[in-house]
Amino acid sequence: MHIEIIAELAQGFEGRPEQARLLLKAAAAAGADAAKFQLVFADELATPGYKYYDLFRSLEMPDDVWSDLASYANSLNIGLYLDVFGSRSLQLAEKIGAKVVKLHGTDIVNIDLLKTIADSSIPTILFGAGGACLSELDQAIRILDDKQIIVLLGFQGYPTPNEANQISRISLLARYFSQYHQHVTVGFADHAPSESPLGFALAATAIGAGARVIEKHLTLAQVMKLEDYESALNPDVFADFCSIVRGCAEALGESELHEDFGMNQSEINYRKMVRRHVIACKDLEAGTILSPSDLSLKRSSSEEAITNLELVYGKTLRKSIQSNFPVCLDDII
């Protein structure tokens, strides 16, 4: 099973191009499939009198810096995803060749922006679905019907209370979307506090519930207290996170409602090794019609022995078999 891991870099670049490059490099080195920044232009987000307007202005970087970051991400073989908040950031994302943009939860009902994204060349849209209601998701998905969509549950609560994650919503929505919106995948944005022992477990739980995309904050160093560091992992810990999450996805696997569930060859070998063999529990003459009283199950050194008693009952022996010897297919008719 493939799980996509997104390193959420958010505002951690703090408007500094070199810091953004370092975050990208760290995300790639740690094993993330993609790295995501917030592509911020203050006037798309707030009015000048808003308390964080100046912070948003400090995050703005020239277009050519974003273009260079896209090229750098390509050289690192990591996807570059971008939060967009309006037409300007969306157009820049298109210009630098972004394949995925994220729509923040604040814009899930921003009809004009949704329609603008629908008309864009961006093929895949991440929905930040924290705080979004079902009717709002349905409406946004209908507007973006021609796009591939990933509904990303989870939200940043500084901290997010554990019980507020409601990971059961993942399986609920996965079933719902499979019926009504088959171009939609469900993911989980993990915001466990960085020091929490649940830092890896929540993502594993989400995968078990049906998430196929995991977003996790990455920072250069917790001690630096960069923007959005509260739920972020240091690069070495993020590398462990990627390894463990992919291991959990591998263990979850894909099952089929077939006789053997599509079991792995290793389990097939195990089954063959542990199944006991059909053994004569007394001397049996040729021509004996086999019944339960004639047979038992034991392990033997035979490579050809039958392991299924039901296959043998009522069959006739071709030849005599001594007590404690296995019964093989060639021995019965």
Side-chain angles (χ1 to χ4, degrees), residues 66-278:
W66 289 108
S67 181
D68 289 345
L69 284 173
S71 297
Y72 187 50
N74 188 58
S75 73
L76 295 171
N77 198 29
I78 189 171
L80 178 62
Y81 298 174
L82 299 166
D83 286 277
V84 295
F85 302 95
S87 297
R88 182 180 176 187
S89 52
L90 176 63
Q91 289 169 7
L92 179 54
E94 280 191 282
K95 180 181 176 182
I96 65 176
K99 298 293 188 278
V100 180
V101 297
K102 183 177 179 181
L103 192 68
H104 195 276
T106 192
D107 284 316
I108 206 75
V109 293
N110 189 340
I111 303 301
D112 287 342
L113 180 56
L114 286 165
K115 290 180 177 179
T116 303
I117 292 172
D119 292 336
S120 76
S121 62
I122 306 291
T124 301
I125 313 301
L126 280 163
F127 277 178
C133 293
L134 182 58
S135 61
E136 295 168 341
L137 288 171
D138 272 333
Q139 175 181 254
I141 289 167
R142 284 194 297 271
I143 293 171
L144 295 172
D145 192 53
D146 292 335
K147 307 294 187 182
Q148 290 298 311
I149 294 171
I150 301 164
V151 171
L152 207 58
L153 299 169
F155 67 98
Q156 178 71 285
Y158 301 105
T160 302
N162 188 44
E163 65 275 14
N165 284 295
Q166 201 183 23
I167 290 175
S168 61
R169 201 186 312 176
I170 294 172
S171 55
L172 185 71
L173 282 178
R175 290 193 300 271
Y176 176 79
F177 292 143
S178 70
Q179 296 178 63
Y180 300 106
H181 304 294
Q182 296 186 6
H183 58 302
V184 178
T185 303
V186 183
F188 180 62
D190 177 10
H191 292 96
S194 56
E195 72 282 359
S196 171
L198 294 174
F200 291 12
L202 290 186
T205 304
I207 290 169
R212 295 297 172 261
V213 177
I214 298 293
E215 182 183 277
K216 184 76 169 179
H217 279 263
L218 169 67
T219 187
L220 291 176
Q222 274 284 326
V223 72
M224 295 172 70
K225 296 188 177 181
L226 303 175
E227 285 293 326
D228 286 316
Y229 79 94
E230 288 87 350
S231 58
L233 301 179
N234 287 342
D236 54 341
V237 181
F238 196 96
D240 291 339
F241 175 84
C242 289
S243 177
I244 290 170
V245 165
R246 291 198 176 100
C248 291
E250 183 180 35
L252 184 63
E254 299 281 359
S255 300
E256 303 166 2
L257 196 57
H258 296 165
E259 176 63 18
D260 68 354
F261 307 106
M263 68 177 62
N264 183 272
Q265 185 61 47
S266 179
E267 187 174 2
I268 293 172
N269 294 341
Y270 169 80
R271 171 187 166 88
K272 184 178 180 181
M273 178 186 71
V274 300
R275 290 297 167 109
R276 288 186 284 178
H277 300 161
V278 176

